[in-house]
Amino acid sequence: MKSYKSDLYVIVNLTGGGGKAKKTYARVREILMRNRVDFKTFDSKYPGDVKLFIEKLTNRVEGVINIAVVGGDGTINNVINGIKDFSRTRIGIIPTGSGNDFARGLGIPKDTDKAVGRILRGLVDDKVIPVDVGLTTVYSDENVALQLGKAAGVTSLQRRYGISSGIGLDALVCKKVDNSRMKNFLNNLGFGRFSYIIMTVISLFTMEKNDVKLVYSPESGKEAEYIPKLVFFAAMNLKYEGGGVPMAPKADYGDGELSSTLAYGVPRWKSFFMFPKLIMGKHEKSKSFKLFNDKKIELYSDKEMVVHIDGEYGGESKHVSFELIPEQLKVLTD
């Protein structure tokens, strides 16, 4: 009989995914019980409770901690932000979300049996994939800081991410999708990823563009750069975001650098034509796009920018930075 060296903690939201998560969890539970795996389940009930549970878990439990996430990118992000000790925490992914860009970027199968099998083999063989973790810092501007009774330039939000973080079009789309009924409707039909595509097309013709100052890391040796009429900026850790859009086709989640992609200077009437290039991953040589790698990037804008962090709304600010933390996430694999 195979030996599973420690307990497995299963994270799930049984009401998520239009009922898909509940069905998937039933199958996961069946497989784990058949393989005599000792596991405990945490059923998420409200936003933020996964993060709090993981914080308490990684503070309380000694030794190696194994976590299986039955969910999508948002749940994975909460797990990443709850981990207190990356050196002894390992996670496995069983995709049930609408986007599943984290799983897609690591080549984790959608098939539940295969995804669980990958986790079980990782537990037996102690095999993991080390994945870089990003960090987004959203700063308060002077007016906001004064209202809060703080000095300008203070942090109003700081959050880790596994897939991507950015400003502009993709952030605006994430905000609109989260606040719309369309996502739930399409999720119930099994077409959740198309909510991002539909909202992107709508936003292309209505959004305002920002003039930004792009500041590279000191190690890069590059001078700060002025970017006019920014459409979007994405600091990518993995290749895909927005339900499979290959924003950074050459991104490497273990190279210690963020792979950033931005689009700028595109007239509104022409914006629609750049979207197919993104979908097909053919935007690298386009004059409207700029792709580069760096350890840290800061953006200063003439007006507030909508920020997203792993597809979740991260507020609005004129000053945002993106970087990698020293630790790496350990993902169970076979």
Side-chain angles (χ1 to χ4, degrees):
M1 182 180 295
K2 294 180 180 179
S3 174
Y4 301 102
K5 301 175 183 178
S6 57
D7 289 347
L8 182 67
Y9 296 88
V10 180
I11 310 298
V12 65
N13 175 3
L14 292 175
T15 61
K20 182 180 178 182
K22 187 174 182 178
K23 293 179 181 178
T24 300
Y25 172 72
R27 180 57 182 165
V28 171
R29 186 173 183 273
E30 179 184 341
I31 297 171
L32 294 179
M33 293 181 69
R34 186 175 67 233
N35 284 273
R36 299 185 180 180
V37 179
D38 291 328
F39 69 96
K40 300 174 183 178
T41 301
F42 177 79
D43 179 16
S44 175
K45 300 295 186 183
Y46 58 87
D49 64 353
V50 169
K51 178 178 179 293
L52 292 174
F53 173 77
I54 299 298
E55 286 177 351
K56 293 178 181 178
L57 179 68
T58 53
N59 276 332
R60 185 180 72 248
V61 177
E62 297 180 355
V64 175
I65 301 170
N66 295 306
I67 300 166
V69 183
V70 182
D73 296 328
T75 304
I76 296 169
N77 180 272
N78 275 283
V79 170
I80 292 173
N81 278 278
I83 294 174
K84 291 296 186 180
D85 188 345
F86 282 86
S87 67
R88 59 188 184 87
T89 304
R90 310 184 300 186
I91 74 168
I93 310 299
I94 301 140
T96 64
S98 57
N100 295 321
D101 287 310
F102 191 90
R104 182 180 287 106
L106 296 182
I108 296 171
K110 289 183 180 180
D111 182 89
T112 300
D113 288 34
K114 291 180 180 179
V116 177
R118 179 178 171 132
I119 293 171
L120 295 182
R121 288 188 292 274
L123 289 173
V124 171
D125 299 332
D126 286 330
K127 188 175 180 181
V128 298
I129 299 172
V131 179
D132 292 332
V133 178
L135 178 69
T136 300
T137 304
V138 181
Y139 296 93
S140 298
D141 65 18
E142 186 174 358
N143 292 329
V144 173
L146 288 173
Q147 292 176 13
L148 296 174
K150 301 178 180 179
V154 299
T155 301
S156 61
L157 173 69
Q158 194 168 57
R159 191 169 179 85
R160 302 170 190 153
Y161 65 91
I163 304 164
S164 69
S165 182
I167 66 164
L169 176 63
D170 53 341
L172 181 62
V173 168
C174 289
K175 179 182 178 181
K176 287 184 175 181
V177 168
D178 284 345
N179 293 327
S180 74
R181 297 178 181 177
M182 177 174 57
K183 182 178 180 179
N184 288 332
F185 173 73
L186 291 175
N187 275 345
N188 290 333
L189 297 177
F191 300 109
R193 59 175 296 190
F194 289 104
S195 59
Y196 294 95
I197 296 175
I198 295 169
M199 200 62 75
T200 296
V201 173
I202 295 172
S203 300
L204 276 171
F205 296 101
T206 58
M207 68 171 289
E208 292 186 13
K209 297 181 176 68
N210 295 46
D211 295 332
V212 303
K213 179 182 178 183
L214 178 65
V215 180
Y216 301 93
S217 68
E219 296 89 345
S220 71
K222 296 180 182 179
E223 296 290 332
E225 190 173 350
Y226 173 74
I227 307 293
K229 296 181 180 179
L230 181 77
V231 179
F232 70 81
F233 171 88
M236 304 291 297
N237 188 39
L238 302 179
K239 294 181 180 181
Y240 307 97
E241 70 169 23
V245 178
M247 193 72 76
K250 296 180 180 178
D252 182 343
Y253 52 74
D255 65 357
E257 292 187 325
L258 294 171
S259 296
S260 296
T261 300
L262 62 86
Y264 67 101
V266 184
R268 186 164 291 177
W269 66 269
K270 196 177 179 180
S271 297
F272 180 77
F273 297 100
M274 76 176 189
F275 188 53
K277 291 183 180 180
L278 276 175
I279 295 293
M280 296 183 292
K282 303 291 185 181
H283 56 291
E284 291 182 88
K285 297 182 180 179
S286 173
K287 294 181 179 179
S288 302
F289 292 90
K290 177 180 177 67
L291 284 74
F292 63 92
N293 281 22
D294 205 342
K295 295 180 182 297
K296 182 177 180 179
I297 309 99
E298 288 195 76
L299 294 175
Y300 298 84
S301 175
D302 62 328
K303 52 184 176 287
E304 287 192 335
M305 308 169 283
V306 180
V307 182
H308 87 84
I309 305 166
D310 272 348
E312 303 292 330
Y313 177 62
E316 298 174 34
S317 175
K318 295 180 180 180
H319 179 198
V320 187
S321 71
F322 311 89
E323 61 189 303
L324 292 178
I325 67 172
E327 293 89 352
Q328 286 185 313
L329 178 69
K330 294 178 173 63
V331 181
L332 289 161
T333 188
D334 51 12

